[in-house]
Amino acid sequence: MAIKARYVIDQAKGLLNDPSGRRWPDADLIKYLNDGQRRIVTLMPSVNSSKHTYQLTPGVVQSIPDGTLAISAFVRNQGLDGSTAGNAIDEFPRQLLDDIFPDWAADTESVSVAYAMYKRLDNPKIFEVYPPQPDPAGYIEVEAADEPADCTLSSHDGSSTGSADSNIDIDPMCADALLYFVMFKAHSRDFRYSVRKLAESYWNKMLSELGLSNQRETAESAKIEGSANASGVQ
């Protein structure tokens, strides 16, 4: 069942006790909703995921192409032509590889990736591979999160925008989590301690709705709260 962006926005306005948009106008709330779609997909790539074949670049450090936000799983090597199925790729902790084999980044190059190192929460657009890739580099198959399209509203607080009320572009089962993110962003504009705690509670409710572990929830909550405080989220 499709969920309209307007439905989520109106729910947020009700919770904020601001139906006329005096404190939190539609233009701000739709930005928060679109930020929330991307954040949720980054935290849980499976909600908007499909298979992709990426060509790697020579060396160790690799970047995710535009149009995708995060990798949910590394699948297999795909050779130098992008269509020759090869060995499966294991995801491996970078720190453990550093401890076992400190010089791994200078090892003999190979087109076949054995291990991928990836810190989704710290830098979802970058990963590393072992062994280093030669030039030309090979291809790999991954399951990756597609970047959701921005939602639009037909009106902002009664004024026509010339757009349509679009559906949210992530799994409709994430609608409540998306609402909690909008509430988090709205309350992050106020740096009073009590309101900051309310913002944090909505962040935690979002993560709980997504079924994330307590350890991951605590780490990411502290990270996002610190970021909001440092940058003055608007």
Side-chain angles (χ1 to χ4, degrees), residues 5-6 26 30 151-166:
R6 169 54 71 186
D26 282 345
I30 194 65
C151 295
T152 56
L153 300 175
S154 60
S155 66
H156 285 175
D157 304 306
S159 298
S160 174
T161 64
S163 300
D165 283 339
S166 63

Side-chain angles (χ1 to χ4, degrees), residues 16-233:
L16 292 165
N17 195 26
D18 188 27
S20 64
R22 291 175 60 85
R23 176 72 174 87
W24 291 279
D26 282 345
D28 288 348
L29 295 180
I30 194 65
K31 289 178 183 177
Y32 302 162
L33 183 144
N34 289 327
D35 288 347
Q37 290 195 124
R38 288 185 286 271
R39 173 62 71 170
I40 288 170
V41 171
T42 299
L43 289 171
M44 184 173 280
S46 60
V47 303
N48 202 45
S49 186
S50 59
K51 285 191 176 181
H52 296 265
T53 298
Y54 293 159
Q55 183 175 24
L56 302 175
T57 57
V60 167
V61 180
Q62 310 293 327
S63 299
I64 296 176
D66 292 341
T68 56
L69 293 178
I71 293 174
S72 53
F74 294 88
V75 181
R76 63 178 59 85
N77 288 279
Q78 286 292 105
L80 280 170
D81 59 3
S83 59
T84 303
N87 293 337
I89 300 171
D90 290 328
E91 200 165 338
F92 201 78
R94 161 72 184 276
Q95 186 59 56
L96 184 56
L97 187 60
D98 287 346
D99 292 342
I100 296 172
F101 185 16
D103 295 333
W104 65 268
D107 200 15
T108 303
E109 297 171 344
S110 173
V111 73
S112 182
V113 175
Y115 302 128
M117 282 76 62
Y118 187 40
K119 294 184 177 181
R120 289 174 177 81
L121 295 182
D122 294 332
N123 195 346
K125 298 291 285 186
I126 299 294
F127 64 98
E128 295 175 300
V129 296
Y130 173 80
Q133 284 289 299
D135 188 3
Y139 289 78
I140 62 172
E141 181 182 327
V142 301
E143 293 180 5
D146 300 314
E147 184 170 7
D150 281 350
C151 295
T152 56
L153 300 175
S154 60
S155 66
H156 285 175
D157 304 306
S159 298
S160 174
T161 64
S163 300
D165 283 339
S166 63
N167 297 325
I168 64 174
D169 197 38
I170 59 176
D171 191 322
M173 295 295 290
C174 296
D176 285 345
L178 189 55
L179 170 63
Y180 298 147
F181 183 89
V182 172
M183 295 297 293
F184 159 75
K185 290 281 280 190
H187 288 301
S188 293
R189 291 170 54 164
D190 193 323
F191 292 104
R192 288 175 296 175
Y193 177 77
S194 60
V195 181
R196 284 173 51 206
K197 295 300 290 183
L198 182 59
E200 183 179 348
S201 74
Y202 274 113
W203 176 260
N204 289 334
K205 287 179 72 173
M206 180 200 71
L207 292 172
S208 179
E209 181 70 22
L210 295 173
L212 300 183
S213 69
N214 289 335
Q215 180 179 4
R216 187 176 186 182
E217 175 177 327
T218 300
E220 185 65 13
S221 177
K223 177 181 171 184
I224 198 71
E225 179 73 5
S227 176
N229 294 342
S231 62
V233 177

